[in-house]
Amino acid sequence: MPRAEVRRIELRELTTLKVGGPAELWEVDEVDALTEATAEPYRVIGAGSNLLVSDAGVPERVIRLGRSFNDIASFRGERELWLGAATPLPGLVRRAQRLGLSGLEGLLGVPAVLGGAVAMNAGTRFGEMSDTLQEVEVFVNGALERLRADALELAYRHARLPDGAVLVRARLRLAASDPERVQQRMDVVDAARKGQPKVKSAGCAFKNPPGDSAGRIIDAAGLKGLRVGDAMVALEHGNFIVNLGHATARDVCQLLQRIRERTSVPLELEWRRWGFEGEAA
Ligand code: FAD
Ligand code: EPU
């Protein structure tokens, strides 16, 4: 029987915010091992770049797709291709540029793997995952299933995967261009990201309300630099919460609460929260 590699970990090791307590990690390197891995309650982690995990960790298994789901090396310039969910997005964006393929440049700077980028419909105002996504392959209820992109209700930072689905592959369609053109578009995205902090974070904490920017709202409320423990509203950008060293989930939650108390517009969290069931979002 195909086996997963199972070990206890601290989720702070697997998240970019470097917050989160213990869990059982199931590292899966072949689709068949998902049958056993999904036999008990589970969650799926990608690059952990949009997660706020409780200090108590999570009781569910945490499934992570291993190296055999990373297809970066086999991407050689096809316009249409299936790629594994553990393919790192930054490498994919760079490689598409070198191969003169357009469609992914808006995703420059998003530190995801493909599965997490699809699950969040990651993007910027210069482009999002839904621009290139055609189809996904998910493992759900013990079997593989293919779903067309239009069945996923892709919208701003939103995708609707079937309950419990583990996304294993995605089919993308890119457009022929040339490396310089693609690079020029990437330079524009890069310039737009210059004001974002470089230290430990999980990207923007809140979604932008329609027609406005949560970062602008938090900044206008004078909250940059507001701090609880080692969690701080970034000085560079109001919608980034940075971990100055040893922030806990408790610090981060208190800071989120204070931000909400001091801003007039209701702000919806973009991060996925793990281990806070029963508490308000
Ligand atoms: P994770 O954070 O690990 O997981 C996110 C969600 O996806 C979870 O619900 C998880 O269960 C689910 N998931 C992950 N993999 C799978 C899978 N294989 N099958 C089923 N479900 C899965 N986001 C943007 O949209 N635009 C940005 O410009 C942006 N900039 C960022 C900059 C920084 C510095 C950081 C740290 C983050 C930024 N983010 C941005 C947030 C984050 O990168 C995205 O939300 C990204 O899509 C998360 O991908 P991930 O692989 O890290 O997923
Ligand atoms: N602004 C301020 N103060 C701040 C931050 C922003 O006044 O502290 C103003 C800016 O001057 C600008 C406007 O708000 O006029 C928009 O700011 P920015 O260009 O930085 O974009 P954003 O709306 O804050 C969004 C995404 C980012 C993405 C960038 C680049 C959301 C929640 N955020 O930020 O995505 O990288 O655009 O396109 O949609 C993420 O989702 O995690 C993320 C980082």
Side-chain angles (χ1 to χ4, degrees), residues 17-218:
L17 187 59
K18 301 293 171 209
V19 162
E24 192 174 87
L25 180 69
W26 283 62
E27 191 105 41
V28 166
D29 244 316
E30 49 186 311
V31 167
D32 290 346
L34 284 170
T35 304
E36 188 191 355
T38 58
E40 301 279 337
Y42 59 92
R43 295 168 181 272
V44 191
I45 195 166
S49 64
N50 201 43
L51 297 180
L52 172 59
V53 183
S54 147
D55 297 318
V58 295
E60 301 87 4
R61 298 169 167 183
V62 172
I63 296 177
R64 183 166 70 171
L65 299 177
R67 277 210 296 269
S68 64
F69 294 90
N70 174 356
D71 288 328
I72 191 76
S74 57
F75 173 29
R76 299 191 190 283
E78 311 84 340
R79 271 192 243 167
E80 186 143 349
L81 71 165
W82 279 100
L83 288 165
T87 303
L89 205 63
L92 193 58
V93 171
R94 270 199 309 278
R95 201 157 170 124
Q97 181 275 327
R98 272 189 252 117
L99 293 164
L101 291 167
S102 172
L104 295 172
E105 46 276 38
L107 293 157
L108 179 77
V110 180
V113 290
L114 186 59
V118 170
M120 292 303 304
N121 188 26
T124 63
R125 63 178 170 280
F126 306 98
E128 49 189 26
M129 223 38 253
S130 58
D131 299 341
T132 55
L133 186 70
Q134 305 298 308
E135 196 174 359
V136 295
E137 193 164 66
V138 293
F139 183 87
V140 64
N141 299 326
L144 285 175
E145 195 178 304
R146 286 188 178 182
L147 296 166
R148 308 277 311 176
D150 51 19
L152 303 181
E153 299 170 13
L154 297 163
Y156 169 64
R157 305 289 191 275
H158 173 82
R160 202 186 58 78
L161 293 173
D163 280 349
V166 183
L167 195 149
V168 293
R169 293 203 298 162
R171 181 164 62 86
L172 306 185
R173 184 179 293 161
L174 305 173
S177 182
D178 64 79
E180 292 81 66
R181 271 232 188 115
V182 179
Q183 184 58 51
Q184 279 164 12
R185 280 196 285 267
M186 282 166 52
D187 290 344
V188 174
V189 184
D190 194 38
R193 304 191 74 109
K194 276 282 178 279
Q196 298 182 356
K198 304 283 177 281
V199 290
K200 289 179 268 188
S201 81
C204 285
F206 299 102
K207 290 186 184 180
N208 283 341
D212 206 343
S213 154
R216 191 203 63 74
I217 294 166
I218 296 165

